[in-house]
Every structure is written in structure tokens, then in C-alpha cells.
Amino acid sequence: MTFKVALIQMAVTAVKSDNLAHAVKLINKAATNGAQLIILPECFNSPYDTSCFPKYAECIPGQTTDLLAQTAKDNNVYIIGGSIPEIDNGKVYNTCPVFSPSGELLTKHRKIHLVDIDVPGKIRFREADTLSPGCDFTTFDTPYCKIGIGVCYDLRFPELAHIYGEMGCKFLVYPGAFNMTTGPSHMEPLLRARAVDNEVYVALVSGSRDETASYVAWGHSTVVSPWGDVLATTEHLETIIYCDIDPDFVDKVRTQLPILSQKRTDMYSLTNVVTRT
């Protein structure tokens, strides 16, 4: 069953209330245009800045998730709510909430791998200065297919995508914010690698570029097919891009190239998969 997704590459400001109102406006527009699953970018309600995460953090449920739940219900759509700074028991997480068409909070993914990069003369960014890492795999079921969630830097770790594939996911979604140093060189190759390695659809949804921000996003929100083809992408400005996802095509590719069943599990395999309830 083919379904239509919308990737909202939105502009983010320093005013949370403005960001929330703008997100609702764009979600409404995407739903009006026929999207059944709508995806927001990483840190869509706050600047992507380590000093901002504690200031903007809120509980789940809370202001942002209550609004997204109502918006999902109003439009009868699934919403993958990008990510927001979440506070829980004194710790702050980079968290992606997911909502059903009835407005139910289906699950949330706390970013597992925190950014810690230092490219001399270009960028230094360390999320662990204010964030704590998540420790859970996150999937949810839809009438179309099972979907796995990561957040940005999680994309760099192939084990996560492989586990999601083994858990039955046919579509992997990463709200993200690649920067001007790593984005041009790494983002698309990583998306295509995760798609081809696991024969799944993969999407990354970024915020639009703000040259005045302390952290400048690359943009270029993208969807890649299980064959490794770029199905939809954009440049750096605010926009909504749409793409049809066909879960049956995943089965077709896996039949033509049965690499998942050809793995030498007698020689190697992933172990110690931890699940928590």
C-alpha cells in the first residue's frame, strides 16, 4: 500500500511559540496536499545550540507534544515530530515524538548517539555538554509498514539501521541537522548507504538554513529508495517536499537482491540487542 509522506524543511527562530505556530501551519498545508505521514526537522521548536537545549526543554507530554497531538488528530495524519529538547528527571534529551492520526503519542525516540565533533578551523560541536543519550530502539507500526526512528547523528551508525531492518522496518526516518562542513560530503552518501545496506526507504528531514545562527544547517532534506536512488530532495530554503513510499517495492528489491538472507550469521551477527519497556 503506497502512502504519501511530507518532509517539512522549516525555518526555526529563537521564539518557541512562533516555531510551534509555524509548524502547525506547515503541517496543515502538507495534509491538505494529501500527505498521510508528515515529518518535522530536528529541534524544530528551538535553536540547535547546546546552550539552548536546557532553556527550551519541556516534559513529554507538554506544550509542544500536546499541540502536535491535536494537529495530528485535526488532520487525521501520522506526525513524526522532528525532535525537541525533552527534560525528564533532571536530564535533557534530544527527543523525537510520534503521533497517530487519532492524536495518540505512539512512541518517542531519544537520540542515541550524541554529536561530538571537532574539525579544526571549521566546526566544533558537543551535544553531551548539555544532553544525555537515549538507550532504546524505536519503531512504530502503521497500516502501511513498520517505521524505525533515529535522530541525525544516529544515521552514522549502521548497526542501528541494520537492527531496524531485522525488526521488520521498511522505512527509516531521521530528523536531522547536518552542518555546512559534514553535510555536503557525508549526508547523501550515508542516506544511500543505509538504504542499500538494508534495502529500505530512508529519509532525513532538516531545518532550513539560517546563516546567522550559531549552528548553520545544510538543509537538503532527502528521501532515498531501497535501490539507493534519490527520490526527492531540495536545496537549503524552507519548503515541503513530498514522496510516495511503496513498501511492496522493498519486498521486490529484497527478492531480486536477497542480501539480508545471505548474511553469514554462522560467521558474524549483531548480539546483545537491548530492549526496554
Side-chain angles (χ1 to χ4, degrees), residues 2 4 11 23 30 40 73 77 98 110 112 117 119-120 123 125 139 148 179-180 184 188 196 211-212 231 261 271:
T2 300
K4 187 174 185 177
L40 292 168
K73 183 177 181 180
V77 295
V98 179
R110 290 171 171 170
I112 297 171
I117 59 174
V119 183
I123 186 171
F125 198 83
T139 68
N179 57 69
M180 298 296 291
E188 184 179 309
V196 171
E211 299 284 359
T212 68
L231 299 180
S261 63
T271 60

Side-chain angles (χ1 to χ4, degrees), residues 119-217:
V119 183
K122 294 186 177 181
I123 186 171
R124 183 180 186 277
F125 198 83
R126 180 177 157 80
E127 282 187 315
D129 287 344
T130 55
L131 293 178
S132 295
C135 298
D136 295 297
F137 304 103
T138 309
T139 68
F140 67 100
D141 292 307
T142 74
Y144 320 112
C145 66
K146 177 174 283 191
I147 297 174
I149 303 293
V151 174
C152 199
Y153 206 57
D154 288 338
L155 177 66
R156 289 188 176 272
F157 299 87
E159 296 84 358
L160 180 61
H162 176 68
I163 289 167
Y164 282 157
E166 291 203 334
M167 293 172 73
C169 295
K170 295 185 176 181
F171 185 28
L172 307 184
V173 175
Y174 298 83
F178 273 68
N179 57 69
M180 298 296 291
T181 298
T182 61
S185 297
H186 299 166
M187 197 182 91
E188 184 179 309
L190 285 167
L191 289 169
R192 297 182 73 181
R194 299 294 86 82
V196 171
D197 284 350
N198 301 286
E199 298 178 326
V200 293
Y201 287 91
V202 181
L204 185 140
V205 188
S206 172
S208 63
R209 190 178 306 168
D210 178 0
E211 299 284 359
T212 68
S214 61
Y215 181 100
V216 181

Side-chain angles (χ1 to χ4, degrees), residues 4 6 8 24-38 71-72 74-77 240 242:
K4 187 174 185 177
I8 296 181
V24 170
K25 179 181 177 181
L26 294 172
I27 291 168
N28 291 341
K29 180 179 179 180
T32 298
N33 288 333
Q36 296 154 287
L37 171 67
I38 300 172
T71 305
D74 290 345
N75 288 283
N76 192 35
V77 295
I240 304 174
Y242 300 89

Side-chain angles (χ1 to χ4, degrees), residues 58-62 64-73 77-82 84 86 95-110 138-141 149:
E58 59 184 79
C59 296
I60 297 178
T64 297
T65 52
D66 287 349
L67 184 65
L68 291 181
Q70 186 61 52
T71 305
K73 183 177 181 180
V77 295
Y78 287 92
I79 294 178
I80 297 176
I84 66 171
E86 176 202 8
T95 302
C96 174
V98 179
F99 303 89
S100 74
S102 66
E104 177 189 0
L105 176 64
L106 293 176
T107 189
K108 64 182 182 181
H109 177 79
R110 290 171 171 170
T138 309
T139 68
F140 67 100
D141 292 307
I149 303 293

Side-chain angles (χ1 to χ4, degrees), residues 9-27:
Q9 183 167 288
M10 65 174 277
V12 177
T13 73
V15 182
K16 181 188 282 191
S17 60
D18 290 350
N19 294 330
L20 296 181
H22 193 43
V24 170
K25 179 181 177 181
L26 294 172
I27 291 168

